[in-house]
């Protein structure tokens, strides 16, 4: 078995959701979940089959984002994996419940705009995601000024009253 670290390539300002699902129906169901959760959402979606034809299935509302999702999943090459690339101004917090509620979704590995690397194990014709590296190591612990900044930020975004 060989361990590899595969980076997810994307512009700095875009968010991605990386997960695992188990059925070809995933593509249509995730597409419907996304457009229902946020009307007008821009995204690209790709799903890697793990058996049968073993194709990367794709969908989306933006061809460039869809192609970016496909490119990353071809590079990742782990079966039953999906990647959603959200357009600028669209965020995981607005769609994650809908994605997780999709019956085919097994787990979410990451939902982030941070630099993302995926740790995979490879043996023969199979690859498995072991985990992700999301962002960077912490530099310290917040003080009272940082607590105040965090709370103010959440209120400015409208996430808290």
């Amino acid at each position: 078995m060989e361990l590899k670290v595969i980076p997810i390539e994307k512009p700095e300002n875009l968010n991605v959701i990386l997960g695992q699902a188990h059925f070809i129906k995933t593509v249509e169901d995730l597409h419907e979940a996304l457009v229902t959760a946020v009307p007008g959402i821009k995204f690209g979606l790709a799903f890697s089959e793990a058996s049968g034809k073993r194709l990367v299935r794709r969908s989306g509302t933006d061809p460039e984002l869809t192609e970016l999702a496909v490119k990353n999943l071809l590079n990742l090459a782990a079966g039953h994996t999906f990647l959603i690339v959200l357009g600028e101004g669209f965020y995981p917090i607005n769609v994650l419940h809908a994605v997780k509620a999709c019956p085919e979704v097994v787990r979410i590995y990451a939902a982030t705009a941070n630099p993302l690397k995926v740790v995979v194990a490879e043996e023969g014709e199979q690859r498995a995601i072991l985990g992700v590296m999301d962002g960077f190591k912490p530099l310290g612990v917040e003080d009272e000024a940082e607590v105040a900044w965090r709370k103010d930020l959440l209120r400015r975004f409208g996430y808290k009253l």
Side-chain angles (χ1 to χ4, degrees):
M1 180 174 63
E2 184 179 350
L3 295 179
K4 296 183 178 186
V5 177
I6 311 293
I8 298 297
E9 297 177 13
K10 65 175 197 61
E12 213 175 273
N13 61 328
L14 297 185
N15 280 272
V16 296
I17 301 171
L18 176 66
Q20 184 177 27
H22 69 90
F23 192 49
I24 193 172
K25 189 165 127 352
T26 301
V27 174
E28 283 82 4
D29 287 356
L30 283 175
H31 185 114
E32 291 170 359
L34 292 164
V35 298
T36 301
V38 180
I41 190 170
K42 300 291 183 211
F43 71 93
L45 160 65
F47 169 72
S48 296
E49 291 178 320
S51 60
K53 294 182 179 180
R54 292 173 25 195
L55 299 173
V56 172
R57 305 293 180 170
R58 67 195 192 295
S59 189
T61 59
D62 182 288
E64 289 179 16
L65 297 174
T66 302
E67 188 55 38
L68 185 58
V70 168
K71 176 185 169 189
N72 276 289
L73 272 199
L74 285 171
N75 192 35
L76 185 58
H80 279 167
T81 302
F82 68 86
L83 182 69
I84 299 166
V85 181
L86 298 173
E88 189 169 358
F90 297 98
Y91 305 99
I93 195 169
N94 303 117
V95 297
L96 209 46
H97 283 299
V99 170
K100 290 190 283 187
C102 182
E104 298 86 12
V105 171
V106 176
R107 70 175 41 93
I108 303 295
Y109 293 107
T112 189
N114 292 329
L116 183 63
K117 294 179 181 174
V118 184
V119 181
V120 298
E122 182 173 342
E123 184 174 60
E125 294 270 335
Q126 295 180 303
R127 268 194 182 177
I129 294 177
L130 301 182
V132 296
M133 296 178 193
D134 182 351
F136 305 101
K137 299 185 283 187
L139 299 175
V141 178
E142 66 182 354
D143 58 16
E144 291 307 312
E146 287 297 320
V147 170
W149 176 86
R150 172 175 42 89
K151 289 181 176 183
D152 179 62
L153 178 70
L154 294 174
R155 281 150 184 80
R156 281 188 283 130
F157 286 166
Y159 290 135
K160 296 289 182 177
L161 296 177

